[in-house]
Amino acid sequence: MASGQDKLVGASLLTFSTVVFVYYTLWAIVMTYFLHAYFPPREYAIRIPCVLLVFGLTVILSFLSMIMIKSKKKVEKKAA
């Protein structure tokens, strides 16, 4: 069963994700002429997600490679 703190963290992550999704949707798809003052240039609507994707994949793959290296050292240590 989830504790109160887990539910609070989940609710805050869900709220944050919803706000980011709505903001990005307005920025990339629905932006009209009178809303330009509230948003960055439209070219960043592609650049920012691409940079975040590359950064996220780099972190994930680095983590996986570190785990694989550590597990290989454990196997070699057991065999010796």
Side-chain angles (χ1 to χ4, degrees):
M1 180 78 36
S3 68
Q5 185 178 5
D6 290 340
K7 290 180 180 182
L8 181 64
V9 169
S12 61
L13 287 173
L14 180 64
T15 303
F16 177 75
S17 299
T18 304
V19 168
V20 168
F21 175 76
V22 169
Y23 180 82
Y24 183 79
T25 302
L26 287 173
W27 177 28
I29 299 173
V30 184
M31 185 171 32
T32 58
Y33 293 104
F34 65 90
L35 291 176
H36 283 286
Y38 301 107
F39 296 99
R42 196 171 187 135
E43 63 193 27
Y44 291 119
I46 299 299
R47 288 184 184 176
I48 292 173
C50 288
V51 168
L52 290 176
L53 179 66
V54 168
F55 178 74
L57 287 175
T58 302
V59 169
I60 290 168
L61 294 176
S62 296
F63 176 74
L64 288 175
S65 64
M66 287 174 51
I67 296 299
M68 290 172 65
I69 290 170
K70 286 182 181 181
S71 67
K72 182 179 178 186
K73 287 181 182 178
K74 280 185 180 178
V75 169
E76 289 175 353
K77 194 174 185 179
K78 283 184 179 180

